[in-house]
Amino acid sequence: MDSTMQAFQHRTLSVKLWPPSQSTRLMLVERMTKNLITPSIISRKYGLLSKEEAEEDAKEIEESAFAVADQHHQKEPDGDGSSAVQVYAKESSKLMLEVLKRGPRRKEDGEAAAIEKSAAVHGDVFDISGGQRAFISAEEAEGLFKPLKEPGNQYSKICFSNRSFGLDAAGVAEPILSSIKDQLTEVDLSDFVAGRPESEALQVMNIFSLALEGSNLRYLNLSNNALGEKGVRAFEALLKSQNSLEELYLINDGISEEAACAVRELIPSTGKLKVLEFHNNMTGDEGAVAIADIVKRSPMLENFRCSSTRIGSDGGVVLAEALGACSRLRKLDLNDNMFGVEAGVALSKSIVAFADLTEIYLNYLNLEDEGAEALSNALKESAPSLEVLEMAGNDITAKGASALAACIAAKQFLSKLNLSENELKDEGGILIAKAIESGHGQLNEVDLSTNSIRRAGARLLGQAVVLKPGFKLLNINGNFISDEGIDEVKDIFKNLPGVLGPLDENDPEGEDLDEAKEVDADNEDELESKLKGLEIKHDE
């Protein structure tokens, strides 16, 4: 999340931000068009869009993002509309990245070219997600799905994501899927009913569920479908018939307490799950109990993501204790929940079992010093091959930095360390610098931005990483480094352009950055200011 968004989120707003004015929506289209035609690492790989194509895509992205945000606002009105604006920005960012990765559309005419453009058909993969994000008609479905009807085809992996199915198109897909379900191992139905009325979307889900019932899948992705409990139960036939499932994705699906309970009820207890991802849902503490039950019966779990799910301390404790049964865990992402100290301490007791852990994401969990110290001490004695450690935004001070530094010093395989948005100050920054200066030959990214670090800490951090082979980025922006300190750090990296991150938000006077970022509502529209900070999120 960028600084503009943070400043926007944490302010008490007195104006109504949703819906945006037509001029603001047009402004966003202009900004996205500019983003889409600007050369970047992604465009070098996938190709650069023309201005005309970018304008068309930007309009479609804005309309889709507006629809998603407006639906969110209707379900969860928050008075001033700030959460709808956040959804609007995030959805726009996500769709821009998808367009960039799609690259420019090909210009060939004819049915064969249309299929090639819209569907990746090769080997055992049938994928229609690369086409334009839009409704799919029955006629178009007939053309697209012809390869699936060919006798003897070997397709075992299908992806219908990014196209919105209504009842007509679902009717075309149903007999085809039924005829090949026994050969399928991977099915991606993420984002496949976008923009449909709830009643139609539920019927479509049920059609696909019945068509695929009895298949023997190892991978199932139902993300981005606003499922809720009704949607989960619409997939009952499919879910209950899966006895070999290894990967299940329910991201951004409106998984409430009731929906989480439905998932627990419908997923067979086979103990074979290796990947389970719940991100950006509204699960809460009671829903966490249901997820914890699924985790308990999944001892083979290697990748667990339960981020941005509104889980508090009580649910966090239950979930943390359940994770103790997952000794094979390699990646754990609990970002952006309200765990607090107690859940952090409970998690530390489970972490000792994670001998194979390589990535752990514990950002924005309200851990404070006590929780951070407990987790650091536990990690120090476990996870010998840890590569990624993130504890941003946890109110960790110099007091908690001592245990954290000792843990970091022991993790010689670290490649990425993120401790941004804490209160480490110079004392803590120096401890971290000392922890990483020796060894750590694989370390390539360190983020200690927004930690009230001053000249001495910044200089030592620079010296600690500058000679590491392959080091890519030191982010110490948003701190209180003096002008002299800035010059010293820049001098350290003078022969390594791009390795030192930007320092445009540094405050040499040590003033409160939040105050400096306040936008005068009389001079600039608040929503427009928010959207100016829109960035393409290179995520997951």
Side-chain angles (χ1 to χ4, degrees), residues 227-336:
L227 294 176
E229 183 186 8
K230 292 179 182 178
V232 171
R233 294 197 180 279
F235 280 110
E236 178 175 354
L238 173 59
L239 291 173
K240 291 182 74 172
S241 68
Q242 298 310 304
N243 294 308
S244 300
L245 202 59
E246 295 179 8
E247 299 186 34
L248 177 62
Y249 299 83
L250 295 167
I251 297 169
N252 192 31
D253 267 336
I255 302 295
S256 60
E257 171 192 340
E258 295 79 11
C261 291
V263 174
R264 174 179 59 186
E265 172 191 334
L266 299 177
I267 296 293
S269 301
T270 63
K272 295 182 180 181
L273 271 183
K274 294 181 179 180
V275 179
L276 181 59
E277 294 204 8
F278 291 85
H279 167 68
N280 195 30
N281 286 299
M282 46 187 182
T283 312
D285 282 347
E286 296 300 322
V289 174
I291 295 175
D293 287 342
I294 300 172
V295 169
K296 284 179 186 176
R297 63 195 199 205
S298 304
M300 306 290 286
L301 208 59
E302 296 177 2
N303 177 352
F304 179 61
R305 185 184 186 194
C306 193
S307 49
S308 302
T309 50
R310 306 184 188 181
I311 297 176
S313 179
D314 292 344
V317 169
V318 174
L319 191 58
E321 292 173 346
L323 284 166
C326 305
S327 59
R328 300 192 182 196
L329 207 62
R330 298 177 61 84
K331 180 178 179 181
L332 176 62
D333 183 348
L334 299 171
N335 282 344
D336 191 24

Side-chain angles (χ1 to χ4, degrees), residues 4 14 28 30 107 151 173 201 355 486 498:
T4 306
S14 58
L28 181 59
E30 285 182 19
K107 303 300 183 182
I486 293 291

Side-chain angles (χ1 to χ4, degrees), residues 89-107:
K90 284 185 176 181
E91 185 73 8
S92 298
S93 173
K94 182 191 80 171
L95 296 177
M96 275 197 293
L97 181 57
E98 291 176 0
V99 167
L100 286 172
K101 286 185 175 180
R102 181 208 69 204
R105 299 188 183 96
R106 298 179 61 180
K107 303 300 183 182

Side-chain angles (χ1 to χ4, degrees), residues 103-158:
R105 299 188 183 96
R106 298 179 61 180
K107 303 300 183 182
E108 296 91 340
D109 295 323
E111 181 181 8
I115 293 175
E116 184 179 359
K117 180 176 67 175
S118 298
V121 178
H122 54 84
D124 60 351
V125 177
F126 182 86
D127 183 355
I128 65 170
S129 65
Q132 183 179 347
R133 190 174 190 269
F135 285 8
I136 181 171
S137 66
E139 182 180 7
E140 185 184 4
E142 289 278 6
L144 280 175
F145 297 162
K146 276 185 178 180
L148 294 176
K149 298 166 70 175
E150 293 176 359
N153 76 76
Q154 299 297 311
Y155 298 119
S156 61
K157 304 171 185 177
I158 61 172

Side-chain angles (χ1 to χ4, degrees), residues 8 17-18 69 81-90 527 530-531:
F8 183 89
L17 301 179
W18 194 263
S82 57
S83 67
V85 171
Q86 184 181 35
V87 171
Y88 187 42
K90 284 185 176 181
L527 176 56
K530 160 73 169 61
L531 294 174

Side-chain angles (χ1 to χ4, degrees), residues 292-405:
D293 287 342
I294 300 172
V295 169
K296 284 179 186 176
R297 63 195 199 205
S298 304
M300 306 290 286
L301 208 59
E302 296 177 2
N303 177 352
F304 179 61
R305 185 184 186 194
C306 193
S307 49
S308 302
T309 50
R310 306 184 188 181
I311 297 176
S313 179
D314 292 344
V317 169
V318 174
L319 191 58
E321 292 173 346
L323 284 166
C326 305
S327 59
R328 300 192 182 196
L329 207 62
R330 298 177 61 84
K331 180 178 179 181
L332 176 62
D333 183 348
L334 299 171
N335 282 344
D336 191 24
N337 284 298
M338 300 171 283
F339 276 27
V341 173
E342 188 177 355
V345 172
L347 182 61
S348 72
K349 296 175 182 177
S350 293
I351 277 179
V352 295
F354 302 161
D356 298 325
L357 193 69
T358 58
E359 300 178 40
I360 188 164
Y361 302 87
L362 304 173
N363 302 316
Y364 308 104
L365 293 178
N366 300 324
L367 296 174
E368 301 180 15
D369 285 334
E370 185 179 348
E373 288 172 350
L375 286 162
S376 297
N377 292 333
L379 282 170
K380 181 183 176 184
E381 303 302 325
S382 60
S385 301
L386 194 65
E387 297 173 10
V388 178
L389 173 59
E390 298 199 5
M391 284 193 192
N394 277 299
D395 297 320
I396 305 171
T397 71
K399 177 181 179 296
S402 180
L404 192 51

